[in-house]
Amino acid sequence: MPISRRDFLAVGTSAICLAAATASSTALAGPPRSRRLRIAHLTDIHLQPELQAARGLATCFAHVQSRPAVASEGMVGDVIDTSPPDLIITGGDTIMDAFEADRARTKLQWELWRKVKADHCGIEMHSVVGNHDVWGWDRAKAGTTGTEPLYGKRWVCDEFGRELPYTSFDRGGWHIVLLDSIFPHEQTYIGRLDDAQWDWLERDLAAVDPATPVIIFSHIPILSATPLAVAGPSTPGASGIAVPGGRIHVDGDRFQTLLAGRRNVKACASGHMHLVEQLDFQGVRYLCNGAVSAGWWKGRNRDTDFGYAVVDLFDDGTVERRYVSYGWTAAT
Ligand SMILES: [Fe+2]
């Protein structure tokens, strides 16, 4: 949300007091942490020609690039930090749906994505694959055979300019991993890595200096309480609740084993649930980062507004996240 000059001055006075208080404690506690990277995590955009979604996404890109006010408590001189992000990471479900869509509808949505991005986004972008980005796995509805050259993840990988649906890179002293959570299961999908990606991930993390902090982005949460919040009985009248494997990684236990041996992995950020959550578990911060489309552009999803996450990565390996509403309301 934009802040007024009066509000800024009021906050600025507080900032001076906080700076003075913090400065005196800093002499005892050592230098304050320093932010190394700011990421705007735009997940679950679900871009479509309907519901003014393209205008909504353009509004979101404008907000991201207009130096959104983000409070960072406890930072000297940085109480109101309006720095724009260093890069954007999109969290999957870029387009409304290709999973059940025919070729023409999928092509229309990707063309719209390319146009809105070209016209309204001037920040470096990296992208995660979501289940709705995968073309034609529901063959009956999509009219696919499975033999099309662009079938499955080939199309979305081409759109993202990558050979593989997963990748990693270094920026700002951090190692950033983008995983592919989407694995076929019967007629649909579940959240997991296949053997090839597990092998790649273990080798990728092993090659990172243990002093270098790591953040992992996936579409489906690796660990989250949000599937429990929306779960119901496994069968009518059952006493337990069921969490489908499409809502959370089913190989979470293997992740816990891996991360226990890689203490430099500091955070895992996801989308998929269209809910906002922070869960700290065994030294790792798990962030579920809402949705640009909220409830698929029709309104809030439960309490989650149309928004995106500002994720700040610090030199001491800490991670802070703020969920930012960009001022969009559902088209009427
Ligand atoms: Fe989604």
Side-chain angles (χ1 to χ4, degrees), residues 44 46 93 274:
D44 292 85
H46 287 277
D93 289 0
H274 297 225

Side-chain angles (χ1 to χ4, degrees), residues 25-232:
S25 62
T26 298
L28 298 175
R33 64 182 179 177
S34 171
R35 193 182 72 227
R36 298 297 304 273
L37 198 65
R38 167 164 286 179
I39 297 172
H41 187 206
L42 278 60
T43 190
D44 292 85
I45 296 167
H46 287 277
L47 185 62
Q48 57 183 299
E50 299 80 14
L51 299 173
Q52 299 187 44
R55 203 159 65 83
L57 178 57
T59 302
C60 183
F61 279 143
H63 196 278
V64 168
Q65 294 166 107
S66 67
R67 307 168 73 88
V70 178
S72 298
E73 298 92 344
M75 294 180 62
V76 176
D78 204 16
V79 172
I80 294 295
D81 181 346
T82 58
S83 304
D86 301 293
L87 58 117
I88 290 173
I89 292 181
T90 63
D93 289 0
T94 318
I95 56 174
M96 182 60 222
D97 183 67
F99 201 95
E100 301 178 355
D102 65 18
R103 180 189 299 274
R105 173 74 183 179
T106 303
K107 183 169 180 282
L108 181 69
Q109 294 172 88
W110 283 124
E111 286 174 348
L112 185 59
W113 165 247
R114 268 180 259 137
K115 175 167 176 47
V116 176
K117 191 172 61 155
D119 289 351
H120 299 282
C121 183
I123 294 181
E124 176 185 351
M125 179 186 291
H126 301 266
S127 296
V128 169
V129 173
N131 50 293
H132 286 279
D133 298 324
V134 178
W135 181 43
W137 276 4
D138 188 327
R139 296 184 189 181
K141 291 181 179 173
T144 49
T145 64
T147 61
E148 295 85 354
L150 293 176
Y151 180 75
K153 296 170 188 170
R154 186 66 266 147
W155 196 331
V156 61
C157 284
D158 286 357
E159 293 289 345
F160 292 166
R162 296 208 304 264
E163 184 57 33
L164 294 172
Y166 48 89
T167 189
S168 68
F169 57 95
D170 296 319
R171 194 74 88 249
W174 279 68
H175 186 65
I176 300 169
V177 178
L178 309 184
L179 293 181
D180 167 22
S181 295
I182 315 303
F183 195 82
H185 181 73
E186 298 176 344
Q187 300 306 307
T188 181
Y189 66 92
I190 56 172
R192 58 167 285 195
L193 310 185
D194 61 11
D195 291 342
Q197 192 177 177
W198 266 114
D199 181 57
W200 171 84
L201 178 62
E202 288 168 349
R203 284 187 287 108
D204 184 80
L205 293 182
V208 177
D209 186 325
T212 300
V214 178
I215 183 168
I216 295 173
F217 288 84
S218 62
H219 179 63
I220 295 175
I222 291 170
L223 185 67
S224 173
T226 60
L228 302 176
V230 298

